[in-house]
Amino acid sequence: MSSSIPARRETAAGRATPPGGEPDDPDDRANAHRDGSASDAEVVARSLDDPAEFAVLFDRHAVAIRGYLARRLGADLADDLVGQTFLVAFDGRGRYDPARHDARPWLYGIATTLLRRHRRDEVRGYRALARAGSFTTAHTVGHADAVIDGVDAGVSVRQIADALAALAHGERDALLLYAWGDLSYQEIADSLQIAVGTVRSRLNRARRRLRPLLAENPAATAALPRIEESR
Amino acid sequence: MTMTEKRLLESFRADEATPDHSALARSRAALLEHAAGESRVTPLRDRSRRPTMRVALTAAVAAGVVGAGLGLQGLVVGGAPLGASAAAAEALDRASAAAVAAVAGPAPGPGQFVYTYSVDYSGVVEGDSGLDTTGCAARHEIWQPVDGGPVRVGRVDGITVASAADPAATPVPDPACRDLQDRWMEDVPVENLQPDGATWGLPDRAFVVGLPTQPRALYERARADAEAQGFDLLDEATMTQLTDLAMSGSPYLTPQLRGVIFQALAFVPGLELAGTGTTLLGDTGTVVSRVEPARSARLELVFDAETGSVIGERRIATAGSDLGLAEGDLISESASRSAIVDERGERPAG
């Protein structure tokens, strides 16, 4: 491969960024071309002629994708799947829609598809956490009885794990793409290749599972900003 | 969804999200090596083909150059057209025409069954303690009713055989092989199956009726299904889906649709014409092959160009196998024969 491979830089927060830096804000990231750097779509297009360019996409998004996978499956599987996600994306880059400047929905969609092969592991992990407060497998998750950081109001990890385990697969995908993937409703729809109305209905059903947790812990609700999500 | 609810989840398992930079660096390096065409560093397992799973699983659950004509110009990556070579596409097109013409051949009538005998052999299997090259084979007999109703599968037994050339070995059940078969079945999530239990390898009437009837659309449907099932290697999985359908012996496949399957295969990138070959059951046919760099393997598909039937396939190791195999070693092989019978459980003469 004769093309030059962009060097990677580490930010203070430990996030890998390509030369020139990438803003963390999703909107800025999607419109990265406005500040002179290439948008994701442009990077994908360049990679068709120069495959090594695809590393730019890895540098921009691998940490976030890996974090999403790790929260759902644990670190070990996440490390494997994040690599597979980008290999699958690379092989399929010829079908990437150039109108989509931001590649995150595409990448999260691939990651979620790969994750489906491990759904039983995921649910098993949540249930183990809800029941015993810790994983008995290699998927170590820390302290079961830990109170959620920033909430500190009695909603335990095991309560959330129990709620997540009870969700249908599609509801969990939509909810966690929203919460951990930081995708909008439309982006979730693009990721999962479903209608945005379906995203809304899935999230509504997921909310019904979460509401009791907050209702039982009014302090948690009070501790958090009451900002209705409108996107 | 409120920000309250979102923040509730944001805090959950946040410790897991801390990146392992060494692991990310390895993934990045693997990506770059993959991009450079050095796929040996991506040891993806054979996930789109588990030899005995095709039938066993479904039974357990549900019991010229065609490029221009097919619009291959629409499938491009970096300016290079995808799909089979001209010679392979031409051979597939001939088989397609033969399949359509086979309408004059025996067709199952009301109340009848399509009987299919298949042998699936794996030369290398991945067990709990690593790779096992003993070889594990399974034979199946399937009776698919023309009028619907339950499909009967017989002899879904794992047996060991001395070699792939020994398909008639006494079918003594081997516990280890049986365990392996069970593990394969357990390993496949339920959602990998079609909603009604039908699959590309054992389709029911509704599944077949719902398939596209144009080659390119059928190819894209197979690919979309493979992607939805989470397969890592989409080209390989797409070819497997189409091949499974062709080898299914389904009574619901019309001659026209069988012909379309061959034309859809011509969209699979990298298919080459590879002369003639003999299947595990001793049948001879035309061979098209495809190199699978991510597996360090070559897949060969054997079809009868006279009848338009796919009669076998095999996967052979190429240089640099991450399974530790020598170039030319057999990884897996399948073959099948179909016939029409009047009764469930009846075997054709001969």
Side-chain angles (χ1 to χ4, degrees):
Chain A
M1 188 60 56
S2 59
S3 59
S4 62
I5 298 171
R8 186 174 53 168
R9 294 194 297 118
E10 300 291 335
T11 67
R15 295 188 175 184
T17 66
E22 277 302 317
D24 283 334
D25 183 276
D27 292 334
D28 289 344
R29 202 161 43 220
N31 299 308
H33 58 294
R34 291 179 183 170
D35 66 7
S37 60
S39 70
D40 289 345
E42 289 168 336
V43 170
V44 173
R46 287 180 191 171
S47 74
L48 294 176
D49 292 327
D50 181 0
E53 271 290 312
F54 207 77
V56 173
L57 218 56
F58 185 94
D59 294 339
R60 288 180 182 176
H61 302 302
V63 168
I65 299 286
R66 190 264 179 200
Y68 163 76
L69 290 167
R71 285 180 165 195
R72 296 190 65 170
L73 290 170
D76 292 343
L77 266 176
D79 288 335
D80 288 342
L81 289 185
V82 71
Q84 290 182 35
T85 296
F86 281 89
L87 291 176
V88 170
F90 177 83
D91 288 342
R93 70 195 191 285
R95 297 186 302 280
Y96 185 78
D97 180 356
R100 295 181 177 178
H101 298 294
D102 185 353
R104 291 180 311 125
W106 178 51
L107 293 170
Y108 275 107
I110 294 171
T112 303
T113 298
L114 293 173
L115 185 150
R116 286 173 185 152
R117 296 179 64 84
H118 302 280
R119 272 176 173 165
R120 285 186 299 181
D121 292 330
E122 181 186 16
V123 173
R124 196 178 295 131
Y126 293 142
R127 286 180 178 151
L129 189 58
R131 185 174 58 248
S134 64
F135 280 126
T136 55
T137 67
H139 304 155
T140 305
V141 293
H143 305 293
D145 292 327
V147 176
I148 299 168
D149 293 341
V151 176
D152 194 21
V155 181
S156 71
V157 168
R158 60 175 60 183
Q159 286 177 291
I160 297 177
D162 190 44
L164 290 176
L167 293 176
H169 296 318
E171 295 166 9
R172 192 184 308 115
D173 286 344
L175 178 68
L176 299 183
L177 283 171
Y178 176 83
W180 296 341
D182 200 28
L183 299 185
S184 69
Y185 287 12
Q186 184 59 56
E187 288 171 335
I188 295 169
D190 293 341
S191 273
L192 301 178
Q193 297 183 25
I194 57 178
V196 70
T198 305
V199 173
R200 292 185 189 283
S201 61
R202 287 183 181 180
L203 285 175
N204 280 336
R205 285 196 292 271
R207 288 181 70 189
R208 286 199 287 271
R209 297 280 186 180
L210 293 175
R211 274 179 183 160
L213 300 185
L214 295 172
E216 293 168 6
N217 298 274
T221 306
L224 295 171
R226 293 178 177 278
I227 303 172
E228 288 297 323
E229 182 58 53
S230 59
R231 60 181 180 174
Chain B
M1 183 61 63
T2 66
M3 286 303 293
T4 302
E5 291 156 347
K6 186 176 182 184
R7 286 198 49 191
L8 182 72
L9 286 166
E10 282 176 343
S11 301
F12 180 72
R13 296 182 77 180
D15 54 328
E16 288 287 330
T18 304
D20 177 344
H21 289 293
S22 62
L24 283 173
R26 286 194 298 274
S27 294
R28 189 179 192 273
L31 173 66
L32 288 169
E33 293 215 40
H34 184 72
E38 296 178 16
S39 57
R40 279 187 297 171
V41 298
T42 59
L44 300 176
R45 298 299 184 200
D46 186 359
R47 287 178 175 168
S48 68
R49 165 62 72 199
R50 298 176 183 193
T52 61
M53 188 186 72
R54 180 180 62 201
V55 173
L57 177 65
T58 50
V61 175
V65 180
V66 292
L70 299 179
L72 290 177
Q73 69 277 8
L75 291 170
V76 294
V77 168
L82 295 179
S85 70
E90 187 175 0
L92 290 166
D93 202 37
R94 281 201 305 272
S96 169
V100 174
V103 72
Q112 289 191 305
F113 296 79
V114 174
Y115 166 86
T116 303
Y117 179 86
S118 66
V119 179
D120 297 301
Y121 171 87
S122 179
V124 182
V125 295
E126 193 171 7
D128 288 337
S129 56
L131 296 176
D132 179 358
T133 57
T134 303
C136 182
R139 294 159 172 72
H140 309 94
E141 294 177 289
I142 308 172
W143 288 265
Q144 299 182 71
V146 173
D147 302 329
V151 173
R152 174 171 171 176
V153 179
R155 294 173 56 185
V156 187
D157 52 357
I159 63 170
T160 55
V161 294
S163 73
D166 186 22
T170 304
V172 178
D174 179 271
C177 199
R178 190 183 301 279
D179 287 348
L180 182 68
Q181 200 166 16
D182 291 344
R183 189 159 60 245
W184 278 339
M185 294 174 65
E186 184 185 359
D187 190 42
V188 178
V190 171
E191 55 266 29
N192 275 12
L193 302 169
Q194 302 300 324
D196 58 358
T199 69
W200 290 81
L202 195 58
D204 63 11
R205 187 191 300 275
F207 182 89
V208 172
V209 168
L211 290 173
T213 55
Q214 296 301 312
R216 182 171 179 168
L218 182 62
Y219 165 81
E220 290 175 348
R221 164 69 188 276
R223 191 176 180 88
D225 273 14
E227 191 164 15
Q229 291 169 37
F231 287 118
D232 305 325
L233 307 172
L234 279 182
D235 289 337
E236 285 80 349
T238 302
M239 185 166 174
T240 296
Q241 308 258 51
L242 292 170
T243 304
D244 280 357
L245 182 64
M247 294 181 71
S248 69
S250 170
Y252 310 120
L253 291 180
T254 63
Q256 286 74 20
L257 186 52
R258 287 171 53 208
V260 169
I261 297 170
F262 281 101
Q263 293 180 318
L265 279 166
F267 283 95
V268 178
L271 268 185
E272 298 284 349
L273 186 61
T276 60
T278 303
T279 74
L280 198 57
L281 292 173
D283 299 321
T284 300
T286 303
V287 178
V288 290
S289 71
R290 181 178 182 279
V291 173
E292 302 175 327
R295 290 196 177 108
S296 299
R298 181 179 74 253
L299 180 66
E300 295 184 347
L301 186 65
V302 189
F303 56 90
D304 184 339
E306 301 302 317
T307 63
S309 305
V310 176
I311 54 178
E313 65 172 348
R314 66 174 68 90
R315 179 165 282 120
I316 297 167
T318 57
S321 167
D322 71 315
L323 298 175
L325 300 176
E327 185 174 0
D329 280 355
L330 180 66
I331 299 173
S332 62
E333 186 164 9
S334 300
S336 68
R337 289 176 179 167
S338 293
I340 299 165
V341 297
D342 293 328
E343 302 288 340
R344 192 190 309 273
E346 176 187 351
R347 296 184 177 88

